[in-house]
Amino acid sequence: MKKFNIRKVLDGLTAASSSSSSSSATAQSGTSRENDVVQETLQSEHFQLCKTVRHGFPYQPSSMAFDPVQKILAVGTQAGALRLFGRAGVECYCQHESGAAVIQLQFLINEGALVSALADDSIHLWNLRQKIPAILHSLKFNRERITYCHLPFQSKWLYIGSERGNIHIVNVESFTLSGYVIMWNKAIELSTKTHPGPVVHISDNPMDEGKLLIGFECGVVVLWDLKSKKADYRYNYDEAIHSVAWHHEGKQFVCSHSDGTLTTWNVRAPAKPAQIITPHGKQPKDGKKPEPCKPILKVEYKTTRAGDPFMVLSGGLSYDTVGRRACLTVMHGKSTAVLEMDYPIVDFLTLCETPYPNDFQEPYAVVVLLEKDLVVIDLGQIGYPIFESPYPLTIHESPVTCCEYFADCPAELIPALYSVGSLQKRQGYSKKEWPISGGNWGQGTQTYPEIIITGHADGSIKFWDASALMLQVLYKLKTAKVFERARGKEEKPNTDIVDEDPFAIQTLFWCPESRMLCVAGVSAHVIIYRFSKQEVTTDVVQLLEVRMQCEFSEVDSPDPGGEQTPTLPTSAASSSPQEAEPPNQLSAGINSSEGPRDNIPCLQVRSSPLKQSPGYQVELVVQLVWVSGEPPQQITSLAVNSSFGLVVFGNSNGLAVVDYVQKTLLLNMGTSELYSPSDPCQRQPRSPRKPRQPSGGLCDSNDGSNNSEDRCKSPTSDGKDNAFTRSRSSSVTSIDRESREVISSFYFCESFPRKSDSLVSPCLLVGTTQGSVMMVALSLPPGSEQKVLQPASFATCGTLVRLKGGILTMALLDAGGTLLPPSYEPWYDPNASDEEKEKVWRRRPATPPSSQESPDTQFAVLCSEKQAKVVAMPSQTRLYKHNITETSFVLRADVVQTAGPYCIACFCANGHIMTLSLPSLRPLLDVNYLPLTDMRIARTFCFSNLGQALYLTSPTEIQRITYSQETCDNLQEMLSELFTPVETPEAPNRGFFKGLFGGGAQSLDREDLFGETTAGKASRSLAQHIPGPGSMEGMKGAASGVVGDLARARVALDERGQKLGELEERTAAMMASAESFSKHAHNMMVKYKDKKWYQL
């Protein structure tokens, strides 16, 4: 344990990072005290950065596969990602290095392995028997483009079709090419003059593994005899083929075509189709051919023992259904069901009871992969209801605009949110269990509650249970319910100040202990919510309208001469309404017919009674209004204190403090008014004048009037948010900042407002984008009863300290280096009886500090976009300073707890994640993790306690990471298992007569046919074998020198032991088989010993 003197100079503390970070400590002469010591226990070895788990819907999915025995679903994406799903809580993410799109996936059924084919013409074998899957082998084709893959059940030979029309065969054990090749010119008829096009389908006859069905894009289908190496039959159709499906008996197959038709062929009758149907085509009365429809992209043909077969297809709608949503068609007997989907269909799979293709399939569900959703349809119930998904796939239901992460929450929060959230669940789901049920949960030791809150573009807020590396939605709050949705013509001018998504969440503040929630929207509104377990109907939504305009003295004004003209904000988002993300800019406008807008809010609060379900219920709505033709500026910072009963919010005009208990505006001042006359920036003080009444007041929701007129025009109406995490600008530099000073952060605390103070009192720390930290003293009436009757008062105490860059976070530590959290009021149900309220409603008085030798009893921790400082309180002397970055800037900073001690965690725009000790600001971690490539990451990145952090890695996915060494060490135990040992179902019984007369499935010795002995070696230039990092070859390639020799010897022993183990298993199996045969023979002999031949 190392001791640090908080007055001594720290020399040589430099962060080894590309961000050129440096640290220094400043000693104040004459004030050094040897006994002022904080023992810091955090060291660099306590930190390590690694990804933990990814949640959400796979972004831009491209392919899908299902293991019917393991019951695991795999989804590939256009960015080369793999997402694997099992039972609820069993998820896995892995990534192909090339980043090429995954065009097809094939499970080695019940083997714990997966083959992926990529758009860069490479195939990969993944080992799923480990918690973090790894690639065992890769094969990169050089001369041909891969278009289709097929791996027969229980076979090690993978068929690969190419764009040239050829078919190559790969041994999936060794990932080597066979010399056996089916050339396109041998497959089609010699008289054909044109190329048949790419291979779009490969499958073997369910009853004869030696017959391979090959579908070419042009419409030609070939049944190839693998043994004789020639085509048995060729089936020709005029329309292009998209997919082919077999009947399980191997006597018929169905093709889907580009004109919306399905053709059914008898294997032995290639002359013409046995049947041609157009499922969605209008049948002409004169018997002519139906009108062509859209292509049927895929068809599956599944049989049942007890009834009619199922035919499931996607596409094929008639062309006159323009604008109709994508549909999945289920044909069963004479009934045809058309199921509309919310998004375009990427792929679908029919889940069946058996993995054997030559048995009755018994389909029970259809998994439909959509562009932005995953739907599973129950085929066993009338009406084909969908299953309720256990996965968190609705993160992107509306685009995420902000995100907060709370680790180690109060234990009762998750059950409380779940109980109110369970009332919101939709009805009409299938009664059956979720069919994708493979894998096992991890055995993690982390048991603390974790909650993630996401704010969305449609004004909704979702609470998620993120405990134990899982994610489940707990509760959804719709803030838009507070406002009127139906807008008449006369109201339109009021609502056109936002491009789209006027209810989008800008920022939010949540107090887990008191359960108070405060949200700020892009339309310059703030809503305060209380949590209640009882339903209530609010007759009138309480509304407070605020005119926020700041005043500048001449020295502050950018142009001291004359009247200032409002400048219109320039936003890249304003000109592109097609963007998926919500706008963060308000566009100023003047109503020419009615003059400049004034006292008009951006949204109309509903006037009708509001029924509020159990959960979060509206306490108060605060709206900023237009002032003399200027739109209200967007809210950039927000804080709530339930103990004081106050909410504070700020923007580019200043700050406002609202008492949400009394529903009154207590303070409304410009940023310049926070400075004292003695401040070095020489700003003129602008304390509230006595004659001026606070602007805004309690009014009915339909009352747009406001009597306060005493406001001057602002020199600019540019509402750009200077906090990078809230901006929509495509620029990623902090240089292009407005000269206007914007409120960027708040922190309620109990501290020493002035140097002369000896007792702590309620305070508000205010941080700005210019790096100033100001202190505002709060004078609160004693007791909760007085609070309702008597308002709080405020006194500005000037600048506490200045830093480079905008202030991001502020906190207060005690003399021992422990965080002093803001006081809070314990939660009580606002709709409970008065007796119950009285038990809980006790506002916490400010407690005097305990007697200590040192006059400095607190540390103020301040972090900006460029540096961090620690200031002693109440002396306000700077103790430590650390320059976090010179070449970049910090996007997010939080004071977090890591298994006891506290530290500052920072995420920079150059991708570095850093931690600094407290209070000495020693660099503990600096990792170049994630270069900023998208504003979404900047807006959603957040740290939490116990070494946890997250961000939105794509519009649909949350990536969780940890910077804790302990969590990294235990990660393997915490992760779920994909592969579980399961017995493969028994093969279907061939029956006595089929076995006697050869009517059953015909097996094929593929090893004899495709092996090197018979087929020879493939051309070396055709494909290149690349050992994967998880394979034995990869280990061999990595080994070198003496250590390499040892590693090679160990690998050889492992391989030899593995082979000996396999040999031992085979020997034991043969002995068991021989013993079983002997027993059956003896029983037969006993049974028929004394019977005559005619009795048999």
Side-chain angles (χ1 to χ4, degrees), residues 559-620:
D559 181 7
E563 180 76 10
Q564 300 299 322
T565 306
T567 49
L568 298 179
T570 55
S571 166
S574 301
S575 59
S576 56
Q578 289 82 12
E579 275 195 33
E581 294 178 9
N584 274 356
Q585 301 298 330
L586 302 175
S587 19
I590 293 178
N591 191 330
S592 57
S593 60
E594 300 176 10
R597 297 181 194 172
D598 197 56
N599 282 338
I600 298 173
C602 303
L603 298 171
Q604 188 68 39
V605 172
R606 66 182 291 160
S607 54
S608 57
L610 176 64
K611 182 181 177 182
Q612 304 199 72
S613 303
Y616 275 100
Q617 299 171 352
V618 180
E619 177 82 2
L620 178 65

Side-chain angles (χ1 to χ4, degrees), residues 851-862:
S851 58
Q852 299 179 25
E853 294 181 16
S854 169
D856 289 335
T857 56
Q858 290 181 346
F859 301 114
V861 179
L862 315 156

Side-chain angles (χ1 to χ4, degrees), residues 48 134 249 770 941 975:
Q48 184 184 342
E249 291 179 348
Q770 299 293 335
F941 198 104
L975 292 174

Side-chain angles (χ1 to χ4, degrees), residues 771-1090:
S772 297
V773 178
M774 277 86 75
M775 184 82 84
V776 177
L778 279 62
S779 176
L780 300 173
S784 57
E785 295 81 6
Q786 290 296 317
K787 175 71 182 73
V788 179
L789 304 172
Q790 186 180 344
S793 58
F794 303 85
T796 57
C797 304
T799 306
L800 174 66
V801 68
R802 285 184 71 91
L803 287 78
K804 291 180 185 175
I807 303 299
L808 296 177
T809 191
M810 301 176 285
L812 216 59
L813 306 179
D814 64 12
T818 302
L819 185 72
L820 291 170
S823 58
Y824 61 87
E825 178 187 66
W827 174 77
Y828 68 94
D829 196 321
N831 299 321
S833 63
D834 292 338
E835 293 79 13
E836 291 179 22
K837 285 184 185 178
E838 210 51 46
K839 292 177 185 176
V840 193
W841 199 8
R842 294 287 182 270
R843 295 193 182 277
R844 215 174 84 177
T847 52
S850 57
S851 58
Q852 299 179 25
E853 294 181 16
S854 169
D856 289 335
T857 56
Q858 290 181 346
F859 301 114
V861 179
L862 315 156
C863 186
S864 74
E865 296 170 316
K866 292 287 186 180
Q867 59 185 193
K869 288 184 180 179
V870 174
V871 176
M873 302 293 287
S875 67
Q876 300 185 8
T877 53
R878 191 188 76 193
L879 303 180
Y880 299 99
K881 182 181 81 169
H882 176 76
N883 293 323
I884 299 170
T885 176
E886 297 291 343
T887 58
S888 184
F889 58 99
V890 180
L891 293 167
R892 178 78 185 223
D894 290 291
V895 175
V896 292
Q897 186 177 19
T898 54
Y902 289 83
C903 66
I904 299 178
C906 306
F907 172 54
C908 287
N910 62 6
H912 281 250
I913 290 178
M914 300 179 235
T915 58
L916 307 172
S917 71
L918 287 175
S920 66
L921 302 179
R922 285 179 302 120
L924 297 171
L925 173 76
D926 187 352
V927 177
N928 188 2
Y929 169 71
L930 178 76
L932 184 67
T933 54
D934 199 304
M935 286 300 303
R936 177 185 58 254
I937 298 170
R939 192 176 58 249
T940 58
F941 198 104
C942 49
F943 294 98
S944 189
N945 291 331
L946 304 173
Q948 307 299 324
L950 65 81
Y951 59 93
L952 237 74
T953 185
S954 76
T956 64
E957 295 167 292
I958 286 177
Q959 178 66 58
R960 290 166 69 178
I961 60 174
T962 181
Y963 49 97
S964 160
Q965 178 69 56
E966 182 184 0
T967 306
C968 289
D969 292 343
N970 297 327
L971 187 60
Q972 279 288 339
E973 294 177 19
M974 295 160 62
L975 292 174
S976 54
E977 287 180 306
L978 288 169
F979 180 79
T980 51
V982 180
E983 282 287 329
T984 302
E986 286 188 13
N989 189 2
R990 296 171 65 185
F992 175 76
F993 288 105
K994 284 188 178 180
L996 187 64
F997 299 110
Q1002 302 295 313
S1003 61
L1004 173 74
D1005 188 353
R1006 294 188 179 94
E1007 182 69 41
D1008 181 54
L1009 199 60
F1010 304 143
E1012 191 176 315
T1013 309
T1014 309
K1017 289 185 177 181
S1019 170
R1020 288 188 178 182
S1021 61
L1022 181 63
Q1024 177 188 0
H1025 177 254
I1026 306 165
S1031 67
M1032 289 289 187
E1033 289 89 339
M1035 291 171 65
K1036 290 173 186 174
S1040 60
V1042 178
V1043 178
D1045 291 336
L1046 289 171
R1048 277 193 290 272
R1050 193 178 297 113
V1051 169
L1053 284 171
D1054 287 347
E1055 286 180 337
R1056 185 165 178 265
Q1058 188 177 348
K1059 288 176 181 175
L1060 285 171
E1062 289 175 0
L1063 183 63
E1064 190 176 341
E1065 286 175 8
R1066 286 177 188 168
T1067 306
M1070 287 175 68
M1071 287 177 66
S1073 178
E1075 187 178 345
S1076 174
F1077 179 76
S1078 171
K1079 190 187 295 183
H1080 283 296
H1082 179 72
N1083 290 340
M1084 290 280 286
M1085 184 267 292
V1086 171
K1087 184 176 179 181
Y1088 296 111
K1089 185 172 69 171
D1090 299 325

Side-chain angles (χ1 to χ4, degrees), residues 119-138:
D120 65 354
D121 309 310
S122 62
I123 57 172
H124 308 269
L125 178 66
W126 291 85
N127 178 16
L128 307 183
R129 290 177 178 248
Q130 54 197 64
K131 290 195 172 184
I132 302 176
I135 292 176
L136 294 172
H137 300 280
S138 296

Side-chain angles (χ1 to χ4, degrees), residues 202-236:
I202 307 169
S203 60
D204 48 339
N205 187 317
M207 285 295 182
D208 190 350
E209 295 174 350
K211 309 291 185 182
L212 198 66
L213 197 69
I214 306 165
F216 295 96
E217 189 181 61
C218 70
V220 175
V221 179
V222 176
L223 188 67
W224 182 264
D225 188 314
L226 290 167
K227 288 182 180 176
S228 63
K229 299 183 182 180
K230 65 178 184 179
D232 279 356
Y233 300 104
R234 296 181 178 92
Y235 313 86
N236 292 287

